[in-house]
Amino acid sequence: MLYKTTKEHEAFRKKVRAFAEEKVKPIAFQLDQNNEFPDEIVKEMGELGIMGIPYEEKYNGAGLDAISYAIAVEELSRVDGGVGVILSAHTSLGTWPIAAFGTEKQKQKYLTKLCTGEYIGAFGLTEENAGSDAGGTETTAVLQGDHYILNGKKIFITNAPKADTYVVFAVTSPGIGTHGISAFIVERGWEGFSFSDHYDKLGIRSSSTAELHFSNVKIPKENLLGKEGQGFKIAMATLDGGRIGIASQALGIAQGAYESALDYAKQREQFGLPIAHLQANTFKLADMATQLRAARLMVYSAADLKTHHESYSMEAAMAKQYASDMALKVTNDALQLYGGSGYIKGIDVERFYRDAKITTIYEGTNEIMRVVVGAHTVGKAPKVQYQKGKSKGPIAGNRKKEIFKEGSLEDQVNALVEALKKDGYDFTVGIDKDTPISEAERVVSAGRGIGDKENMKLIEDLAYQAGAAVGSSRPVAETLKYVPLNRYVGMSGQTFKGNLYIAVGISGAGQHLKGIKDAATIVAINNDENAAIFKNCDYGIVGDALEVLPLLIEALDNGEEKKPAPPMVKMKRSKPRKMAPTSDLYVCQGCGYEYDPKQGDEEGGIEPGTSFKKLPDEWICPKCGEDKESFVKVDFPDDRKL
Ligand code: CAA
């Protein structure tokens, strides 16, 4: 075990520090304020030879050890935590799984370019229902001939949409938990692969973070990474190394904050002497230095174990947890030493303070780090019996999902209006378009699919004819600024609790759906039939908003001015119609689940149309895991059979 880095390590540190000081530091504040990814800097990082530090030279890597990699992330983060994580996510998440599990062909095709920085790498694991519980992955990849067809969504993905390659995890064998997950190399630009806007974050704002959307993306079979079913282990092993990267990032951020505060405390005078000599502050600075040293030793020792192919999963988790908790404390103390001046934008400790927070969250929260460490010390907790990877159902609840597809677009629009009138909506009355979202009985909301700002006129016209207020998705208010911020609907914005919600050109991000889950009726109009909003709606039309809206406006127009709407009466949410079964009904005695032969059991690999009797003996209840024997046949009156 080493207690001191080598001369080579320190020479390498000097090189990266010089680059960070000369190139990154002068623009760090601007990148932070503009939420801007430093394309030029990343290109130069490739030229400097730091985009493939721990990889073999034959693949264009630098052939250095994991400590050198930790030093590079640390030094970049010492001036800008965002630039630090660009390197970390690229190296340990986007590149490592290919280096460790890729075939020679995959390494030649991808690793050689990732190591030079010609390609940027990223890692797609996290989903709305699979964060800390990474095994809950719902994205699917189905083998069809020579391709896997990928569908689903990943959130919080570092380096998206800038990265060229994404190591993506998807379920290839449903119903068998983590053993049914596989890893794939997915290229940016493949048909059906799109991105959300990059998030507006608290810190590390020079790094880009966005969602990955997959709609029938065709992945060539040869892009399967490792073997089918190995995905979860690949993800876990990758994260072990990733955590060394995040620990280094936390260390660098804290180091930058410490140096800045030490400098300031030596210059700033109060009570007739530099505040560094006031003992309360001397002790604070002494503690900061001690904690930094402890964290550094932990990070480098985990990296050293990795280099020497010794087990390092626990040590990496310990280092990540300790270094990130330390970074929160040290950046907080640094800001405290600056006093009021540290609270002002432009002072680096203000940025370091914000940048530090994410290190206790991503690549495994510090709670998960303790789970990992605990598994090595106390031992693994016994497994809780629950269905892993079982979809929790649509976020906005189980709705009718009646998508009008028959006839012309005009016929579809008329069918929609008919259905709404049948549900009791009176379109001779209306409310002011500026009614607060939380008080509105009806809202017509625009998403990015509305296109140019001038198309908002269609939204306003539709809102008038539907008797509704105007709302929007978050990007339309926040990024495009088409409407004021108080008009955006979602968990983080305004919650809609009224009756009718018409979502136009909204894809259905989780936080948006959570904000409309209490609506009595949700109508979706979107040109992407795979958009999540369609799984969360009562009625829908698949089509271009610019074509559907004029027809809908006309269909709702009764030629008269709208009368003021009476006070809102909350309507009951209509439930999807439950069809009477055509065959005998079998019910699980464990949980009451009714097996529906029409639907089969996708997760259990049972085709729709399979009768209960034809289910294999090993089939189990998808809800509670009881075996087939526990099901009882329920007599069903003939008059209720279809
Ligand atoms: N290496 C290899 N295999 C591993 C492993 C590791 N470190 N840890 C677990 N496994 C294997 C286990 O041996 C087990 O295999 P078998 O079933 O064959 O025995 C299998 O994986 C399942 O293991 P567990 O039962 O322990 O899995 P679990 O479902 O209980 O989850 C967990 C364990 C530690 C909580 C895990 O889910 C986890 O690490 N969660 C956090 C996820 C995370 O870090 N997400 C970060 C996303 S990426 C990110 O943040 C990027 C960014 O922006 C920069």
Side-chain angles (χ1 to χ4, degrees):
M1 207 343 245
L2 95 171
Y3 295 93
K4 202 173 179 311
T5 45
T6 61
K7 270 196 203 123
E8 290 76 19
H9 286 139
E10 289 314 307
F12 181 71
R13 182 193 303 280
K14 214 170 148 196
K15 174 171 117 169
V16 183
R17 182 172 292 196
F19 172 80
E21 288 281 343
E22 278 166 36
K23 305 280 177 156
V24 186
K25 196 172 179 177
I27 58 166
F29 178 61
Q30 169 209 319
L31 296 174
D32 171 67
Q33 291 301 288
N34 299 345
N35 205 16
E36 183 185 333
F37 185 88
D39 294 289
E40 198 50 39
I41 294 280
V42 175
K43 212 172 127 226
E44 288 181 42
M45 277 155 55
E47 285 154 15
L48 192 68
I50 60 169
M51 293 296 270
I53 296 168
Y55 304 113
E56 291 177 79
E57 283 162 285
K58 68 172 175 176
Y59 299 114
N60 299 331
L64 298 176
D65 63 1
I67 293 184
S68 306
Y69 161 63
I71 287 174
V73 176
E74 178 189 344
E75 287 302 322
L76 293 171
S77 305
R78 183 179 154 273
V79 302
D80 184 341
V83 175
V85 79
I86 294 172
L87 182 67
S88 176
H90 162 84
T91 309
S92 34
L93 299 187
T95 307
W96 189 80
I98 300 177
F101 299 97
T103 59
E104 187 54 31
K105 210 168 150 201
Q106 288 170 341
K107 288 187 199 174
Q108 289 299 341
K109 186 167 178 192
Y110 297 111
L111 182 58
T112 50
K113 291 186 174 151
L114 287 159
C115 283
T116 58
E118 183 183 338
Y119 277 5
I120 300 176
F123 180 81
L125 176 69
T126 304
E127 299 183 6
E128 266 156 14
N129 290 322
S132 288
D133 186 2
T137 301
E138 290 173 0
T139 294
T140 55
V142 178
L143 186 60
Q144 273 180 18
D146 288 341
H147 291 86
Y148 285 89
I149 307 297
L150 184 68
N151 278 293
K153 179 172 155 187
K154 299 285 175 180
I155 61 170
F156 304 149
I157 306 305
T158 305
N159 286 345
K162 295 286 179 179
D164 300 272
T165 57
Y166 297 79
V167 175
V168 173
F169 298 86
V171 175
T172 44
S173 300
I176 56 168
T178 53
H179 294 132
I181 297 173
S182 302
F184 299 91
I185 307 169
V186 181
E187 292 182 32
R188 184 182 56 186
W190 282 354
E191 205 180 327
F193 180 13
S194 58
F195 302 91
S196 69
D197 280 345
H198 77 109
Y199 301 102
D200 194 2
K201 307 189 292 281
L202 171 74
I204 56 162
R205 289 166 61 80
S206 55
S207 70
S208 179
T209 318
E211 293 169 3
L212 316 180
H213 299 172
F214 306 112
S215 174
N216 294 323
V217 178
K218 280 172 87 178
I219 312 176
K221 233 164 127 181
E222 62 262 26
N223 276 37
L224 172 72
L225 190 58
K227 295 201 180 85
E228 257 200 32
Q230 264 191 348
F232 191 73
K233 289 190 184 186
I234 294 178
M236 290 299 111
T238 304
L239 285 165
D240 284 339
R243 287 163 189 162
I244 296 177
I246 299 309
S248 312
Q249 183 203 16
L251 176 63
I253 294 170
Q255 179 70 32
Y258 164 73
E259 286 177 28
S260 177
L262 178 63
D263 228 31
Y264 179 79
K266 282 180 173 174
Q267 288 168 29
R268 166 83 172 155
E269 290 192 4
Q270 290 287 278
F271 307 105
L273 77 168
I275 61 166
H277 292 300
L278 299 174
Q279 203 177 42
N281 294 336
T282 314
F283 284 8
K284 201 181 281 272
L285 285 157
D287 284 349
M288 289 158 89
T290 307
Q291 288 152 7
L292 275 160
R293 179 166 161 76
R296 185 165 289 110
L297 287 171
M298 289 182 83
V299 177
Y300 293 176
S301 79
D304 202 39
L305 289 172
K306 183 171 194 308
T307 301
H308 293 100
H309 308 289
E310 289 181 49
S311 140
Y312 63 95
S313 175
M314 178 182 78
E315 290 77 2
M318 285 175 164
K320 193 268 187 189
Q321 181 236 302
Y322 183 82
S324 59
D325 280 342
M326 177 281 296
L328 283 199
K329 188 169 180 317
V330 166
T331 53
N332 183 38
D333 286 344
L335 202 152
Q336 188 71 19
L337 281 159
Y338 262 90
S341 307
Y343 202 66
I344 308 295
K345 294 260 177 219
I347 298 292
D348 54 10
V349 291
E350 182 268 342
R351 180 165 47 83
F352 288 133
Y353 180 80
R354 285 185 285 110
D355 283 356
K357 181 58 208 170
I358 190 64
T359 62
T360 66
I361 300 173
Y362 62 12
E363 296 201 32
T365 60
N366 280 3
E367 290 72 21
I368 290 295
M369 293 308 95
R370 288 169 172 97
V371 170
V372 174
V373 175
H376 284 86
T377 51
V378 179
K380 268 191 177 180
K383 286 272 174 210
V384 181
Q385 261 291 326
Y386 78 112
Q387 286 283 305
K388 215 166 211 191
K390 178 111 187 80
S391 167
K392 290 167 190 64
I395 298 174
N398 203 8
R399 291 178 178 268
K400 291 201 272 196
K401 296 190 266 291
E402 288 186 31
I403 312 299
F404 301 104
K405 287 187 170 157
E406 297 283 309
S408 65
L409 206 51
E410 201 170 349
D411 295 337
Q412 296 168 21
V413 165
N414 289 337
L416 167 64
V417 173
E418 263 323 290
L420 290 173
K421 284 184 179 165
K422 211 162 145 209
D423 285 351
Y425 289 103
D426 173 5
F427 294 110
T428 63
V429 300
I431 56 172
D432 190 277
K433 75 173 176 39
D434 295 322
T435 308
I437 302 289
S438 54
E439 291 165 24
E441 197 240 341
R442 301 172 197 174
V443 163
V444 172
S445 263
R448 272 189 162 274
I450 196 64
D452 295 338
K453 188 169 186 186
E454 64 199 35
N455 300 332
M456 286 302 287
K457 173 82 175 68
L458 284 170
I459 295 291
E460 286 181 12
D461 290 352
L462 177 60
Y464 179 74
Q465 293 301 347
V470 169
S472 81
S473 67
R474 189 166 61 92
V476 165
E478 223 174 65
T479 314
L480 299 175
K481 302 188 173 39
Y482 288 177
V483 292
L485 278 178
N486 66 359
R487 306 298 320 163
Y488 94 67
V489 183
M491 194 179 62
S492 58
Q494 305 295 317
T495 311
F496 177 69
K497 292 194 163 53
N499 290 327
L500 178 59
Y501 190 78
I502 304 182
V504 182
I506 291 178
S507 58
Q511 73 88 21
H512 189 86
L513 295 171
K514 282 180 191 155
I516 59 171
K517 66 178 175 28
D518 293 326
T521 308
I522 298 176
V523 175
I525 298 167
N526 198 301
N527 61 3
D528 175 8
E529 67 176 323
N530 289 313
I533 191 80
F534 285 119
K535 295 194 181 75
N536 289 272
C537 75
D538 295 282
Y539 304 116
I541 293 179
V542 181
D544 188 333
L546 302 189
E547 288 173 29
V548 179
L549 261 47
L551 295 171
L552 188 54
I553 291 165
E554 199 187 323
L556 290 171
D557 187 356
N558 61 351
E560 286 172 26
E561 210 172 297
K562 304 287 167 188
K563 290 178 277 195
M568 175 165 81
V569 178
K570 180 73 183 164
M571 290 167 69
K572 254 187 131 177
R573 220 181 82 188
S574 47
K575 291 253 162 58
R577 270 180 289 157
K578 234 189 175 174
M579 298 299 199
T582 49
S583 53
D584 291 320
L585 186 66
Y586 286 84
V587 179
C588 173
Q589 293 187 87
C591 65
Y593 165 83
E594 296 172 5
Y595 174 72
D596 180 355
K598 257 200 245 142
Q599 286 191 4
D601 169 18
E602 197 190 336
E603 305 233 333
I606 305 297
E607 294 282 327
T610 311
S611 70
F612 185 81
K613 285 193 180 134
K614 292 224 166 109
L615 291 174
D617 290 344
E618 63 275 15
W619 179 80
I620 53 165
C621 172
K623 226 170 153 189
C624 69
E626 286 283 342
D627 54 28
K628 196 180 161 191
E629 303 267 283
S630 318
F631 277 67
V632 285
K633 188 169 143 195
V634 176
D635 280 334
F636 212 75
D638 278 345
D639 61 339
R640 281 194 59 202
K641 282 187 185 171
L642 288 180

